[in-house]
Amino acid sequence: MPAAGGIGPGNGKAYPGNLTPFVTVTCIVAAMGGLIFGYDIGISGGVTTMTPFLQKFFPEVWEKKEANKSTNQYCQYDSETLTLFTSSLYLAALVASVAAATITRKLGRKLSMLIGGLLFFAGALVNGFAKAVWMLILGRILLGLGIGFANQSVPLYLSEMAPYRYRGSLNIGFQLSITIGILVANVLNFFFAKIKGGWGWRLSLGGAMVPALIITIGSLVLPDTPNSMIERGQTEEARTKLKKIRGVDDVEEEFKDLVAASDASKLVEHPWTNLLQRKYRPHLTMAVLIPFFQQFTGINVIMFYAPVLFNTIGFGDDASLMSAVITGIVNVVATMVSIYGVDKWGRRFLFLEGGVQMLICQAVVAACIGAKFGISGNPGDLPKWYAIVVVLFICIYVAGFAWSWGPLGWLVPSEIFPLEIRSAAQSVNVSVNMIFTFLVAQVFLTMLCHMKFGLFLFFAFFVVVMSIFVYFFLPETKGIPIEEMNQVWRSHWYWSRFVEDHDYSNGDMEMSKGGLGPKNM
């Protein structure tokens, strides 16, 4: 095996500090920023299976679905307007994440979270009272702007606030909130779809105001991170805050490293162009490829369109919504497994195990759907055992994602960037994530119509590629203080050629002098 694992736990600095109740509560509140993202992911797929919603806004889809003008189950939801309703949000999130980089860096993480909550609230209000398609799209754009700000700031906030030994578990709280948001949305869709009068979809869409209020109020009561306070010149306040956060008075070593990192970051006038420097090649690569691979696992095919997908493979409307609830429960439970294990087993182990698990499940689901639907898309009568097998393997697939690429796709990028490029690099991470989320959401129903069961094999191919990438190129970041993260690149069999000792801050140099040279493993 190549030396792809980087630094093992226990090497480098060990800052004193405890997992205080203050930090725990703070990170839980901040992590709830993921609720808005998760709620939207879960709610959009559910309302698009509700007959009154389709009749009002997408009658051509309803006609194909209900009037039996097409017996091809693969193509019954193929509508560019319908997919634009789902995917327009992610273009807006892309734009917002770029703007959020400057606000997050200069004005703090809290303000970005507040702006995100307010924009998401406005979008939920517009969608809940929508009278025409253009109002739906406008609401989705506002929701997307809110998600762009929240996704840019919350993972950074969590990584900076958490003690390094617990950084993985606390940061994954963001992904846990996403999964809880998806589950709540799926449950609400199931019950709101039964409301007589056909207005349940308004409650589903308007209900997004609740998670929006949670992050808005939370951002007002949360403390700033010491990193952000130092970055904005509040040095002594940051020292006091760091003592409170860590629960100890001996914070000088960590505080000095934070100040050194901040001083280095202030020398960078243009962080966006700075990202292109050779010494940041590993960081930029991860900021682009990790979110790219995360979307091409195919997970959003399941989460966005779970009710649509289950309906397409022969379940009734109620059954498809309930199946989405089941996958949502699996998603939440499996994310808790990741919270338990990420700082024990490491990032690489979870990435690789999850990749193998997803690959096997995608192959089985493709075989099941291909055997019954074939090329024509007309399965005839589907036996109950068939439905159980499909749901079972989709749940195992969701579990594999939920304890690997789901949370780690947000955790790893947020913890590997030096302070001087952190906001800009996180914006690249979010932007790439949103670009490919948009593309997958926009073309999925068309791809399902044309590629049929082969669509699952398409995503399985990318799971193979990304697992190989992790095995060879992603170093282990477990147990490394966030301000000392550059040691993993200097120790890596491939990335070490791009970085040199003199490229980094005093903290890194001291570590090198302490016996951990760039090639020591």
Side-chain angles (χ1 to χ4, degrees):
M1 175 179 175
I7 306 296
N11 290 323
K13 294 186 179 180
Y15 298 133
N18 306 307
L19 182 59
T20 62
F22 176 75
V23 166
T24 303
V25 173
T26 296
C27 288
I28 289 174
V29 173
M32 287 184 180
L35 287 174
I36 63 175
F37 193 23
Y39 187 89
D40 181 81
I41 290 174
I43 217 72
S44 56
V47 295
T48 54
T49 66
M50 296 182 186
T51 296
F53 179 81
L54 291 177
Q55 286 176 323
K56 183 174 181 61
F57 297 107
F58 307 100
E60 73 285 355
V61 176
W62 177 79
E63 289 174 5
K64 282 200 295 183
K65 178 176 178 288
E66 300 293 336
N68 294 320
K69 291 185 177 180
S70 171
T71 59
N72 188 339
Q73 298 291 309
Y74 291 124
C75 298
Q76 64 174 338
Y77 286 97
D78 185 16
S79 165
E80 290 185 4
T81 309
L82 180 62
T83 51
L84 182 62
F85 161 71
T86 300
S87 59
S88 57
L89 176 148
Y90 299 98
L91 284 183
L94 163 64
V95 174
S97 66
V98 176
T102 301
I103 293 175
T104 300
R105 186 183 189 201
K106 294 186 175 180
L107 301 178
R109 285 62 166 146
K110 286 179 55 177
L111 183 61
S112 284
M113 293 162 65
L114 175 62
I115 294 172
L118 292 174
L119 287 169
F120 197 85
F121 183 88
L125 198 63
V126 172
N127 271 352
F129 289 99
K131 298 290 186 182
V133 172
W134 71 266
M135 290 185 71
L136 285 180
I137 303 300
L138 174 62
R140 297 289 291 175
I141 290 172
L142 289 171
L143 292 173
L145 293 174
I147 285 175
F149 274 91
N151 285 14
Q152 207 279 342
S153 54
V154 173
L156 289 185
Y157 184 94
L158 293 170
S159 286
E160 291 178 350
M161 187 64 73
Y164 73 93
R165 291 190 300 274
Y166 305 99
R167 187 178 61 244
S169 297
L170 291 175
N171 190 289
I172 289 175
F174 177 68
Q175 178 68 17
L176 180 62
S177 288
I178 292 177
T179 63
I180 291 173
I182 293 171
L183 175 59
V184 169
N186 288 333
V187 171
L188 293 179
N189 278 335
F190 180 77
F191 288 106
F192 289 160
K194 298 178 181 296
I195 293 178
K196 293 180 180 179
W199 50 274
W201 61 268
R202 292 192 182 276
L203 292 178
S204 290
L205 296 177
M209 288 186 286
V210 175
L213 284 174
I214 291 175
I215 185 177
T216 300
I217 296 172
S219 67
L220 294 174
V221 301
L222 289 173
D224 257 325
T225 68
N227 309 65
S228 179
M229 295 172 74
I230 292 171
E231 202 169 19
R232 290 177 288 128
Q234 302 171 7
T235 307
E236 287 308 310
E237 296 93 328
R239 188 198 304 269
T240 303
K241 184 68 68 178
L242 187 62
K243 291 180 180 179
K244 183 176 182 180
I245 290 171
R246 298 294 178 247
V248 296
D249 291 329
D250 182 18
V251 297
E252 284 307 306
E253 185 177 25
E254 182 175 5
F255 179 74
K256 287 179 181 178
D257 285 345
L258 291 177
V259 171
S262 178
D263 290 341
S265 74
K266 290 175 182 177
L267 299 176
V268 179
E269 295 182 6
H270 305 289
W272 292 99
T273 54
N274 201 50
L275 267 174
L276 301 178
Q277 292 185 31
R278 178 180 173 86
K279 65 180 179 179
Y280 298 125
R281 193 75 50 82
H283 311 78
L284 185 59
T285 300
M286 298 302 163
V288 172
L289 288 185
I290 288 178
F292 168 81
F293 286 136
Q294 187 191 52
Q295 294 312 307
F296 276 83
T297 59
I299 187 61
N300 281 342
V301 170
I302 303 296
M303 290 303 165
F304 283 158
Y305 300 108
V308 173
L309 181 63
F310 287 126
N311 194 279
T312 295
I313 60 178
F315 294 10
D317 286 347
D318 274 1
S320 63
L321 287 170
M322 180 51 69
S323 298
V325 171
I326 293 171
T327 58
I329 293 172
V330 170
N331 201 13
V332 171
V333 173
T335 303
M336 292 179 179
V337 173
S338 187
I339 290 176
Y340 171 79
V342 67
D343 289 318
K344 294 179 181 291
W345 308 323
R347 282 66 159 155
R348 280 169 48 82
F349 171 80
L350 288 175
F351 266 131
L352 294 172
E353 190 283 332
V356 172
Q357 187 169 322
M358 287 188 290
L359 177 63
I360 293 172
C361 292
Q362 285 167 321
V364 172
V365 170
C368 288
I369 295 179
K372 281 293 178 183
F373 287 80
I375 302 299
S376 68
N378 186 2
D381 293 328
L382 292 172
K384 182 178 291 187
W385 67 264
Y386 164 83
I388 292 174
V389 169
V390 172
V391 171
L392 175 63
F393 276 93
I394 284 180
C395 285
I396 297 173
Y397 163 82
V398 168
F401 176 85
W403 60 50
S404 64
W405 279 88
L408 299 182
W410 294 107
L411 165 62
V412 172
S414 73
E415 68 182 0
I416 63 173
F417 304 135
L419 184 62
E420 64 267 22
I421 62 166
R422 191 169 295 159
S423 291
Q426 180 67 1
S427 281
V428 171
N429 179 50
V430 174
S431 297
V432 172
N433 192 299
M434 294 304 152
I435 288 171
F436 288 101
T437 302
F438 166 79
L439 289 176
V440 171
Q442 186 64 27
V443 305
F444 161 65
L445 293 175
T446 300
M447 291 174 69
L448 179 62
C449 183
H450 292 87
M451 297 179 68
K452 303 174 173 57
F453 62 88
L455 179 61
F456 292 92
L457 299 178
F458 170 82
F459 289 117
F461 167 77
F462 282 99
V463 171
V464 172
V465 173
M466 70 194 201
S467 297
I468 293 173
F469 171 79
V470 166
Y471 182 82
F472 285 104
F473 296 106
L474 183 68
E476 181 58 70
T477 54
K478 178 185 73 170
I480 308 295
I482 193 169
E483 301 305 334
E484 306 297 338
M485 193 62 68
N486 282 310
Q487 62 177 297
V488 303
W489 309 115
R490 296 202 305 269
S491 307
H492 191 270
W493 72 275
Y494 179 77
W495 298 120
S496 60
R497 70 191 66 186
F498 295 99
V499 298
E500 299 292 342
D501 281 348
H502 64 265
D503 284 335
Y504 298 106
S505 66
N506 292 335
D508 288 316
M509 291 299 295
E510 289 169 5
M511 185 174 300
S512 180
K513 293 173 184 176
L516 186 63
K519 299 300 181 183
N520 292 341
M521 291 295 292

